[in-house]
Amino acid sequence: MPKKVVSGNYAAAYAAKHARVEVVAAYPITPQTSIIEKIAEFIANGEVENLQYVSVESEHSAMAACIGASATGARTFTATSAQGLALMHEMLHWAAGARLPVVMVDVNRAMAPPWSVWDDQTDSLAQRDTGWLQFYAENNQEVYDGVLMAFKIGEHEKVNLPVMVIESAFILSHTYDIVDMPTQEEIDDFLPPRKPLYTLTDFDNPFSVGALGTPADYYEFRYKIEKAMENARKVIKEVGKEFGERFGRDYSQMIELYRTDDAEIVFMGMGSLMGTVKEAVDVLRSEGYKVGAAKVRWFRPFPKEELYELAKNVEGIAVLDRNFSFGQEGILFNEAKGVLYNTDANPVMKNYIVGLGGRDLTVNDVRVIAKNMKEIIEKKELDKEIEWYHLKR
Amino acid sequence: MELPADVKKKLTLPAEEHFYAGHTACQGCGASLGLRYVLKAYGNKTIFTIPACCSTIIAGPWPYSALNAPLFHTAFETTGAVISGIEAALKAKGYKVKGEDGIMVIGWAGDGGTADIGLQALSGFLERGHDGLYIMYDNEAYMNTGIQRSSSTPYGAWTTNTPGGKKHFVESRPKKKVIDIVIAHKPAYAATASVAYPEDFMRKLKKAKSIKGPSFIQLFAPCPTGWRAPTDKTIELARLAVQTAYFPLFEYENGKYKINMPSPNKEPKPLEEFIKLQGRFKYMTKEDIQVLQEWVLKEWEELKKKAEVFG
Ligand SMILES: Cc1ncc(C[n+]2csc(CCOP(=O)(O)OP(=O)(O)O)c2C)c(N)n1
Ligand code: SF4
């Protein structure tokens, strides 16, 4: 299998190329820029055929052009970050509502003000109700694999929904690592050309998409999106398993479990910070802590059953959120607690807000968190529910 | 229908209908006529994109459509971008776009969706040179949300957010010249048209299809509801707008302007004839009408000069 040393962004660009995307419409924003630059380079060098690149005048238009292209039957890709994603928000609803499997890489970046170009998950999590599937990558390999799987899952006849593949700013986007890439033939075999649900070129049977939905019908349209999300759970597991069989990296779990079998305390989180957490788990294990890591790969659809299975067997879950919903709590924490209510799983749960705006989370930080969790479990008393771990005092 | 023997009529428009009865426009709606002509001109090998506007409603609620052509409804400000994406996809997939037997990609948007919120996407569409046609149907206000002013609303007009009252507050700014902004992009083809002159409109539609690159047509489409005008005056109003030079008909191609007025040697009629038929101008004083009249003639002279110099 060919290996390349690439940044997370280049991994995304190569995956789009290998997926044989037909239309890319995008607008530059740091730190996403090198994804679309690389794609432009592929075109300039004649490395891709039949790829139309539309350099639009804004992210709002990028997503609008993507929905137009996807509705015409093309395999469509774009990428953005933070302010760009926020500007797209309205059109994210259109992509999902029109059931168009656009694939987008979002490079997680903190929202301004103050300006920040560094990692933070609030931009993508703020889009959680738009009907997009969301996959959080831990490393460059997962960015690459995630984009390939995103097309297969989003375009699946039982899904037909857009998919966001999310990588962290600079930690992945601009950091080089070895990425295994299957050959083009292997990928073509895994990912055949798209078979759209409908296309605007059906002149013999013309119809309208997105017309006024009266109270007599709108409700059912929403329900169908939810059905597709539910279907996506199964499709994600199937495609993840198939990916493992073909390429050796298994993604059949929506939550990747790391040394959780006999764990008393589990650290749960998403994205690149889970690499550090896994390393910390190894260190802590050598120090006698019974800890494990649970990396939430898919945030939408939310892996409810897998979370329940995990939560049943542990004493405490430390949820590490690199994001915050003002007036409430970390978003993953909020979702996880919601899932476990009304079940018999009742671990102690504490929310650690970490690394906002690119602040580093170190192995030692995870050790401090582990100690805190251990104390809470021993005392059988939560000191507080939400801790802004990095706050300067 | 058989015509009486003493009536001689020559049908100059295609008899074929691709815009169905059963659409939900108001009586006398100019925009709906416009849609009908576009479909007559192009037949159904046409992909429409319609943003939020009256035409969203006119086309009919799900699962119906009054258009015998594929139609993608989209967000208010995105027409230019969506048609760009559709065109790009057609090209990626190897379809023939435009020309005799090619697919026509059309954005059909109101004046608000074009001159205001959609201007950025329109500019992008024009500047990037996509093979599509953007038609702005100009009813001079936001009708779908209940008659609010747009930047295409003329001086002196009443709307619900320039209501006119004791302090004489009506639209105080002149109509934005969207077509001039379009022409500044040097598109392949740009033209004004009117629902009162369907042959002229059809000819321009045909031209837009034959030319490579982005085209733009600003179609004057009276709205009896928003203009507070009788529903049987639509054509008369559209005709008067041309005859008074309030909305002159012209084309722009390859840097050249060409005025195409129905009676080229006639002086413009007094604007008052156009104004007095509409309730939206009821707050205008004699002086206000004079202000608008002078604006119209000044713009008209300017256009004639352009046609002379760049003819
Ligand atoms: C982002 C956004 N803002 C506001 C609206 C509400 N809206 C829908 S149609 C419309 C006015 C449309 O006016 P115009 O484009 O002139 O077309 P007309 O209704 O006159 O045919 C407005 C303001 C919207 N749909 N989307
Ligand atoms: S409000 Fe005006 S533009 Fe809208 S449907 Fe009625 S007549 Fe046509």
Side-chain angles (χ1 to χ4, degrees):
Chain A
M1 203 175 274
K3 288 183 201 293
K4 267 189 170 45
V5 178
V6 289
S7 65
N9 277 357
Y10 282 5
Y14 273 105
K17 175 189 172 191
H18 293 158
R20 296 192 187 276
V21 293
E22 294 164 299
V23 175
V24 172
Y27 193 78
I29 180 169
T30 303
Q32 154 264 31
T33 329
S34 55
I35 300 177
I36 57 168
E37 285 169 349
K38 192 72 186 166
I39 291 173
E41 223 175 274
F42 293 147
I43 298 171
N45 294 334
E47 290 176 54
V48 283
E49 286 165 42
N50 303 332
L51 169 53
Q52 293 282 322
Y53 182 104
V54 191
S55 57
V56 282
E57 72 292 343
S58 77
E59 286 86 354
H60 196 281
S61 285
M63 190 44 65
C66 284
I67 63 167
S70 191
T72 312
R75 183 167 283 162
T76 307
F77 177 80
T78 189
T80 193
S81 279
Q83 313 299 126
L85 187 61
L87 184 59
M88 276 182 189
H89 175 76
E90 182 194 19
M91 299 320 291
L92 299 188
H93 285 280
W94 278 89
R99 307 296 300 274
L100 299 169
V102 174
V103 171
M104 165 160 65
V105 169
D106 176 56
V107 186
N108 265 157
R109 165 183 160 181
M111 296 300 300
W115 284 114
S116 164
V117 293
W118 295 278
D119 189 20
D120 190 306
Q121 298 165 337
T122 308
D123 63 344
S124 53
L125 289 172
Q127 310 304 329
R128 68 179 183 177
D129 304 331
T130 55
W132 282 62
L133 279 71
Q134 290 199 353
F135 175 88
Y136 285 78
E138 178 194 325
N139 50 42
N140 296 0
Q141 184 70 59
E142 290 194 355
V143 173
Y144 179 85
D145 296 348
V147 170
L148 288 182
M149 286 188 288
F151 281 108
K152 182 139 177 157
I153 294 162
E155 291 172 7
H156 193 281
E157 59 177 1
K158 289 201 149 62
V159 181
N160 284 301
L161 284 175
V163 189
M164 219 180 276
V165 175
I166 296 139
E167 58 163 319
S168 50
F170 298 105
I171 298 168
L172 300 188
S173 67
H174 286 66
T175 306
Y176 282 67
D177 202 353
I178 301 167
V179 174
D180 267 6
M181 300 184 186
T183 62
Q184 186 67 57
E185 292 75 53
E186 286 171 320
I187 294 165
D188 289 346
D189 201 42
F190 168 73
L191 185 65
R194 179 181 163 205
K195 284 202 205 100
L197 179 65
Y198 62 87
T199 110
L200 295 175
T201 48
D202 192 358
F203 300 107
D204 297 330
N205 178 29
F207 57 92
S208 77
V209 186
L212 182 74
T214 64
D217 297 306
Y218 182 88
Y219 192 86
E220 280 68 26
F221 275 94
R222 297 293 105 174
Y223 178 69
K224 283 185 174 176
I225 294 178
E226 174 51 14
K227 278 294 266 192
M229 271 284 175
E230 290 306 318
N231 293 343
R233 289 177 204 286
K234 190 159 169 266
V235 174
I236 283 169
K237 288 174 197 161
E238 278 168 15
V239 171
K241 183 160 177 275
E242 184 192 344
F243 198 93
E245 283 160 3
R246 283 174 185 262
F247 308 126
R249 293 179 294 280
D250 183 275
Y251 288 90
S252 56
Q253 295 180 322
M254 294 174 76
I255 300 179
E256 184 194 324
L257 301 175
Y258 185 73
R259 303 185 78 167
T260 56
D261 277 353
D262 61 338
E264 287 163 7
I265 299 166
V266 166
F267 307 105
M268 192 162 87
M270 303 191 293
S272 65
L273 68 84
M274 293 311 286
T276 307
V277 170
K278 284 190 215 164
E279 207 180 308
V281 165
D282 290 346
V283 174
L284 287 164
R285 283 259 171 192
S286 72
E287 293 170 0
Y289 287 89
K290 282 188 149 183
V291 291
K295 181 177 82 186
V296 176
R297 277 192 176 124
W298 291 92
F299 179 75
R300 279 293 179 273
F302 198 76
K304 297 186 216 179
E305 280 171 24
E306 293 177 35
L307 174 62
Y308 168 71
E309 289 303 323
L310 170 74
K312 259 193 336 196
N313 300 311
V314 298
E315 292 182 38
I317 301 180
V319 181
L320 311 181
D321 267 309
R322 195 169 214 150
N323 62 74
F324 197 75
S325 174
F326 301 112
Q328 180 66 339
E329 55 205 358
I331 294 168
L332 181 59
F333 181 64
N334 181 267
E335 299 252 341
K337 273 198 315 182
V339 166
L340 298 178
Y341 189 83
N342 275 347
T343 72
D344 56 0
N346 195 19
V348 175
M349 291 180 78
K350 182 169 170 179
N351 193 190
Y352 298 86
I353 307 303
V354 299
L356 301 185
R359 197 161 297 175
D360 208 11
L361 181 83
T362 64
V363 168
N364 200 46
D365 292 332
V366 183
R367 180 190 280 119
V368 173
I369 289 169
K371 278 189 183 157
N372 180 230
M373 282 299 290
K374 204 164 170 191
E375 259 175 47
I376 291 168
I377 289 166
E378 275 164 11
K379 283 195 190 155
K380 295 192 170 31
E381 192 183 309
L382 197 57
D383 49 354
K384 54 177 151 178
E385 202 177 23
I386 304 161
E387 181 161 341
W388 284 64
Y389 176 80
H390 279 123
L391 212 56
K392 290 178 201 157
R393 283 164 218 274
Chain B
M1 187 181 77
E2 202 154 314
L3 293 169
D6 57 340
V7 178
K8 276 198 188 149
K9 280 210 173 167
K10 201 172 96 198
L11 207 56
T12 56
L13 305 178
E16 230 175 315
E17 289 290 356
H18 293 285
F19 184 61
Y20 300 135
H23 65 74
T24 54
C26 312
Q27 265 188 28
C29 172
S32 59
L33 270 177
L35 265 176
R36 180 172 169 223
Y37 296 142
V38 175
L39 280 152
K40 272 188 185 292
Y42 294 139
N44 90 334
K45 215 170 157 189
T46 309
I47 301 176
F48 277 86
T49 297
I50 299 182
C53 59
C54 268
S55 301
T56 313
I57 309 303
I58 294 172
W62 188 85
Y64 306 108
S65 176
L67 280 65
N68 179 27
L71 162 58
F72 193 85
H73 290 270
T74 187
F76 196 18
E77 61 281 44
T78 58
T79 313
V82 173
I83 57 176
S84 300
I86 292 173
E87 183 250 28
L90 289 175
K91 288 198 165 154
K93 294 203 153 287
Y95 285 98
K96 185 166 188 285
V97 182
K98 278 198 182 177
E100 236 354 79
D101 53 344
I103 297 170
M104 216 30 211
V105 180
I106 294 184
W108 172 268
D111 47 293
T114 304
D116 301 334
I117 199 167
L119 192 59
Q120 176 180 304
L122 168 62
S123 175
F125 159 75
L126 294 167
E127 165 273 316
R128 287 187 301 268
H130 294 280
D131 274 322
L133 167 63
Y134 191 120
I135 304 176
M136 161 191 177
Y137 68 93
D138 190 0
N139 55 22
E140 304 199 311
Y142 296 169
M143 297 312 177
N144 183 52
T145 35
I147 326 170
Q148 294 86 26
R149 62 105 45 186
S150 80
S151 58
S152 197
T153 301
Y155 173 85
W158 161 93
T159 70
T160 54
N161 61 354
T162 53
K166 279 205 185 95
K167 294 188 110 178
H168 190 66
F169 171 56
V170 293
E171 182 52 51
S172 61
R173 300 290 305 156
K175 185 177 172 74
K176 190 191 232 176
K177 293 292 215 148
V178 181
I179 188 96
D180 290 350
I181 299 172
V182 167
I183 290 171
H185 290 76
K186 303 215 174 353
Y189 181 67
T192 58
S194 162
V195 294
Y197 298 96
E199 285 93 349
D200 176 76
F201 183 34
M202 298 286 271
R203 183 178 62 75
K204 287 168 175 169
L205 289 168
K206 291 244 157 73
K207 184 109 194 201
K209 193 169 187 209
S210 68
I211 289 178
K212 248 199 93 55
S215 313
F216 177 88
I217 294 177
Q218 182 174 354
L219 176 71
F220 195 74
C223 163
T225 309
W227 294 9
R228 298 298 194 238
T231 53
D232 59 352
K233 293 285 180 209
T234 300
I235 299 302
E236 195 174 333
L237 279 168
R239 197 178 292 137
L240 278 170
V242 174
Q243 289 170 344
T244 57
Y246 172 81
F247 193 89
L249 301 180
F250 71 96
E251 288 168 287
Y252 167 91
E253 195 187 342
N254 286 327
K256 288 191 173 22
Y257 284 79
K258 190 171 170 217
I259 297 176
N260 16 60
M261 294 297 261
S263 314
N265 298 322
K266 277 204 186 135
E267 282 300 303
K269 285 188 180 173
L271 191 63
E272 203 154 354
E273 289 192 34
F274 173 67
I275 287 179
K276 71 181 181 204
L277 288 174
Q278 305 172 52
R280 65 171 169 160
F281 291 124
K282 74 172 178 192
Y283 288 98
M284 283 182 112
T285 60
K286 276 258 172 273
E287 293 75 50
D288 288 334
I289 295 175
Q290 195 49 35
V291 171
L292 186 56
Q293 175 72 77
E294 276 165 23
W295 178 84
V296 165
L297 293 178
K298 196 170 139 275
E299 292 289 327
W300 172 233
E301 287 307 316
E302 213 174 88
L303 177 64
K304 283 201 293 189
K305 216 165 280 164
K306 279 181 195 161
E308 224 173 86
V309 179
F310 306 108

